[in-house]
């Protein structure tokens, strides 16, 4: 049996954590076996890497960011995501490879082919069945960030503009997988849009299982 893998993407402040939690709650309420995780992190090793990556006191080069994120992702895929998918669960993950492409590729200028190659090793070729990209202007995202900023959030607006444009480029490149949602809308409206995108995928998955298949 193969479960369903859903990722949420967006610049910092777009509302990914809120929508990921709301989606998991709705899945569970409707009887779907669901797991929520995040990147970087999601495992003890990944959380340790997350602390290094986001520590404003750390001076990391772009290559180090790519490799550390890939290491956290490899552990998450091996320890959490693949086992859950084998059990037939719906896995909701806040960030995945698209974030590395947007943040380190488009944002920092690391060649996309290099980012893709490293992450091919980290994920073993695993790709989301559906990616929900919450689009939000950088200035509006900044206004939502009342707390102190981490090492990556604290970069200048121009960097985050490149990241946003990177996400939009990826959405254009992979329209069958990536759905662009209005992250500026009220949270309840965004949640409705998220469910409208997810529900047909779950219906196809259920139909495939009934026919003896295991993938959406």
């Amino acid at each position: 049996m193969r479960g369903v893998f859903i990722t949420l993407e967006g610049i910092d402040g777009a509302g990914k954590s809120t929508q990921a939690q709301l989606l998991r709650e709705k899945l569970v309420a409707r009887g779907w076996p669901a797991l929520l995780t995040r990147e970087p992190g999601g495992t003890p090793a990944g959380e340790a890497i997350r602390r290094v990556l986001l520590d404003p006191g750390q001076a990391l080069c772009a290559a180090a960011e790519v490799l550390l994120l890939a290491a956290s992702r490899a552990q998450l895929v091996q320890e959490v995501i693949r086992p859950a998918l084998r059990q037939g669960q719906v896995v909701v993950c806040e960030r995945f490879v698209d974030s590395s492409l947007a943040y380190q590729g488009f944002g920092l200028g690391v060649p996309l082919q290099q980012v893709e190659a490293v992450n091919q090793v980290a994920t073993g070729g695993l790709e989301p069945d559906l990616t929900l990209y919450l689009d939000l202007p950088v200035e509006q995202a900044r206004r939502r960030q009342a707390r102190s900023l981490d090492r990556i959030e604290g970069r200048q607006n121009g960097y985050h503009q490149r990241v946003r444009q990177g996400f939009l480029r990826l959405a254009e490149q992979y329209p069958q997988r990536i759905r662009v949602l209005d992250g500026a809308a009220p949270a309840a409206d965004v949640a409705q849009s998220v469910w409208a995108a997810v529900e047909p995928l779950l219906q196809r998955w259920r139909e495939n299982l009934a026919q003896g298949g295991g993938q959406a």
Side-chain angles (χ1 to χ4, degrees):
M1 181 181 293
R2 163 69 152 80
V4 176
F5 185 24
I6 301 170
T7 58
L8 283 88
E9 297 282 5
I11 62 173
D12 296 289
K16 297 177 303 301
S17 298
T18 297
Q19 294 304 324
Q21 182 63 43
L22 290 174
L23 175 57
R24 182 191 175 276
E25 290 173 359
K26 190 156 192 172
L27 288 165
V28 171
R30 301 207 172 190
W32 295 96
L35 170 74
L36 174 60
T37 190
R38 70 171 183 175
E39 286 199 341
T43 66
E47 292 297 329
I49 292 171
R50 181 186 182 91
R51 288 191 289 273
V52 173
L53 278 164
L54 302 185
D55 180 0
Q58 295 286 345
L60 300 175
C61 68
E65 279 192 22
V66 172
L67 294 169
L68 285 170
L69 285 162
S72 174
R73 183 167 296 132
Q75 192 66 29
L76 183 65
V77 168
Q78 179 71 20
E79 187 177 329
V80 176
I81 297 177
R82 284 196 185 277
L85 292 176
R86 284 196 294 267
Q87 295 168 5
Q89 295 192 57
V90 180
V91 177
V92 179
C93 187
E94 184 184 341
R95 298 198 183 284
F96 202 58
V97 176
D98 293 312
S99 276
S100 287
L101 293 168
Y103 277 80
Q104 286 72 48
F106 289 97
L108 292 181
V110 179
L112 296 181
Q113 300 92 327
Q114 293 181 11
V115 179
E116 290 169 345
V118 168
N119 280 283
Q120 178 68 23
V121 176
T123 66
L126 178 66
E127 294 183 357
D129 297 298
L130 175 66
T131 297
L132 305 169
Y133 167 61
L134 308 183
D135 186 47
L136 186 69
V138 171
E139 294 76 12
Q140 188 168 347
R142 289 298 207 188
R143 289 195 292 271
R144 292 181 176 181
Q145 295 173 308
R147 58 182 174 79
S148 59
L149 303 180
D150 64 39
R151 190 180 65 85
I152 295 177
E153 290 171 341
R155 288 173 176 159
Q156 295 181 350
N157 280 8
Y159 168 79
H160 294 284
Q161 294 284 8
R162 294 193 300 274
V163 172
R164 183 191 181 199
Q165 291 305 311
F167 275 124
L168 291 170
R169 289 271 299 277
L170 291 170
E172 291 176 358
Q173 187 174 353
Y174 303 105
Q176 298 302 316
R177 175 175 64 83
I178 302 177
R179 306 289 181 84
V180 179
L181 305 181
D182 181 11
D189 293 345
V190 178
Q192 289 182 354
S193 298
V194 166
W195 187 249
V198 169
E199 191 172 26
L201 174 66
L202 297 177
Q203 291 174 346
R204 292 197 302 272
W205 181 47
R206 178 175 283 165
E207 291 168 1
N208 287 342
L209 289 178
Q211 296 169 6
Q215 246 175 307

